Structure formats: structure tokens, C-alpha cells
Amino acid sequence: MLIGIIGGTGSQGLGIAKRLAIADFDVIVGSRKEEKAVRVVEEANSDISEYTSNKMVGKANEDAAKDADLLILTVPLEAQIATLKTIKEFVKGKIILDATVPLETAIGGNVSNLLHVNPGSAAERTAKFLANEDVKVVSAFCNISNSHLANIPEPIDCDCLICGDDAESKEIASEIIEKIPDLRVVDIGKLEKAHLIESITPLLIGLNIKYKSHYGGFRLTGIDFE
């Protein structure tokens, strides 16, 4: 499976890309400008060369969306719709994992506060914008810190909460995410639950700031998910 990371040259997107490349997925890292993607990916491939011979490639977001089988959206809220506009014609019938978190920083606010958006969550915004494209949207990766993703080769001792309206898409997403060592997927239900997942991110950011950490995570206990 060829995975395209849309807006993938930021810390979150690049962390996901590296982790998936190490897990032997073929990965395209997309950026608004192809030359930036190529430059960033060249350095990223060097960073992970001791862990895998698998090579990521860099492309413009539009080409990444066109060529990939599954997409992961890793852009800040303020770039979400603008980015979706550029890839809209290439996403029909595909699965999109949306990692967008609506932080107050989008309007100059506090990084540890959630911004309430219409129609309820960033993931639902994506689904609404692409409603006519037969896209399956899954909220995923929102509560996994960039520091955890970048801390290669250490395993990620966290649960990755996901939600979406299509069961098969969530199964595919889960299989991909759980290729990252120790990262466990917990499906919390329909896409309307995405605001709950997205709200965990500013909570963790605030706790990391308060306790001077970069690795705060989330692990559910006391439930048998098998």
C-alpha cells in the first residue's frame, strides 16, 4: 500500500512518515511545494537509513494525493480547507486519516486550548468538504505527540484513538497504525466522536508544559479490547 502524507514536511507528518517507512510501507511525503518535499525527504531518509532500506519520496501535495492509495492529512487547522481544495480532485474513493487538531493557536490563542469548529470537529470538516467525493474519513493520530513520533527507534507506549463511520476503513487504518511498535489502536465509534479525540491533544500539551515533558501520552486500562 502506498501512503501519502499530505502536508507531511512538518514535525507531525514527517514523524508519521518515518515511522511508517520503517514499518516497510511505501510513503510519499507531500508539501505545498515539491522542491521542499524533496529536500526534506532526502534528509529524512538519511535519518532512518540505519533502521530501514525503504526510501520515502517527496512530491507536491496534489501528486501525493493522486498517486497514493491512502492519505494522512497532517496540517494545522488554518491550512486544512486550503489544502483539501488543492487535492480534492484526486481523493475520490480513498481513505483519509485526518490528524488535524483545532487548537486555539489558529486564531492566536493558547496552544493548550481547543478551538470549537463547525460542524463539531476538524475531521468532520474534512468529511463535509469532501462529501461528494466518496471519501472515507477516519480521525487518527491526533493524540500521539510529535516527540513520540520523532523518538526513533523507541516504541510508542500510547493508545491511538480513532473514529469514523466506515468499519472497513477503520480496520485498514488500525492495521497500518499498529505496525508502529507498541502503538495500540482504540476505536471509539462514529466520526461524530472526533471532537473527543481532538480535545485530548491540548490536554496533553498542557500537561507536558506543566510537568516539563515531551512524552505525555494516553493509555486506556481496565477494558479488554480483544
Side-chain angles (χ1 to χ4, degrees), residues 25 125 190:
F25 287 102
R125 280 180 99 207
K190 296 287 190 179

Side-chain angles (χ1 to χ4, degrees), residues 1-219:
M1 176 179 288
L2 182 55
I3 299 174
I5 315 293
I6 306 301
T9 55
S11 55
Q12 183 188 39
L14 204 58
I16 293 171
K18 289 178 178 179
R19 290 285 187 166
L20 294 181
I22 291 170
D24 288 329
F25 287 102
D26 295 321
V27 178
I28 304 171
V29 175
S31 180
R32 197 164 50 86
K33 295 184 178 181
E34 181 178 10
E35 55 268 29
K36 179 179 180 180
V38 171
R39 183 179 70 252
V40 169
V41 164
E42 183 177 2
E43 182 177 341
N45 279 328
S46 177
D47 292 341
I48 63 173
S49 60
E50 65 180 292
Y51 308 111
T52 180
S53 60
N54 201 14
K55 297 290 186 181
M56 300 175 285
V57 298
K59 296 185 179 183
N61 283 328
E62 296 91 332
D63 292 327
K66 179 171 62 176
D67 295 343
D69 302 307
L70 178 144
L71 307 177
I72 304 176
L73 183 65
T74 59
V75 296
L77 180 71
E78 55 268 33
Q80 183 189 28
I81 298 301
T83 302
L84 290 174
K85 286 179 179 178
T86 68
I87 67 171
K88 185 176 182 179
E89 64 180 293
F90 307 115
V91 301
K92 187 173 290 290
K94 296 184 179 181
I95 298 170
I96 296 181
L97 309 189
D98 195 336
T100 310
V101 175
L103 299 175
E104 266 192 4
T105 49
I107 57 171
N110 195 312
V111 69
S112 60
N113 287 339
L114 188 72
L115 182 66
H116 297 284
V117 296
N118 184 32
S121 68
E124 288 172 288
R125 280 180 99 207
T126 293
K128 182 178 180 180
F129 184 79
L130 300 176
N132 296 323
E133 308 303 325
D134 187 31
V135 166
K136 305 297 190 298
V137 177
V138 178
S139 177
F141 284 113
C142 295
N143 65 291
I144 308 302
S145 78
N146 298 343
S147 296
H148 268 306
L149 291 166
N151 193 25
I152 294 168
E154 294 301 315
I156 300 179
D157 183 22
C158 294
D159 288 340
C160 181
L161 304 187
I162 70 168
C163 64
D165 294 335
D166 182 72
E168 183 180 2
S169 298
K170 289 190 287 185
E171 288 178 9
I172 292 169
S174 297
E175 290 172 4
I176 292 169
I177 295 167
E178 289 189 339
K179 293 293 185 182
I180 299 173
D182 277 13
L183 196 53
R184 182 180 66 175
V185 171
V186 177
D187 177 3
I188 72 164
K190 296 287 190 179
L191 195 63
E192 65 184 16
K193 301 288 188 182
H195 69 283
L196 299 174
I197 297 176
E198 294 169 6
S199 67
I200 292 173
T201 300
L203 171 64
L204 290 174
I205 290 172
L207 289 171
N208 277 324
I209 292 171
K210 180 177 180 178
Y211 293 103
K212 298 179 174 57
S213 176
H214 297 283
Y215 300 103
F218 186 85
R219 184 73 90 182

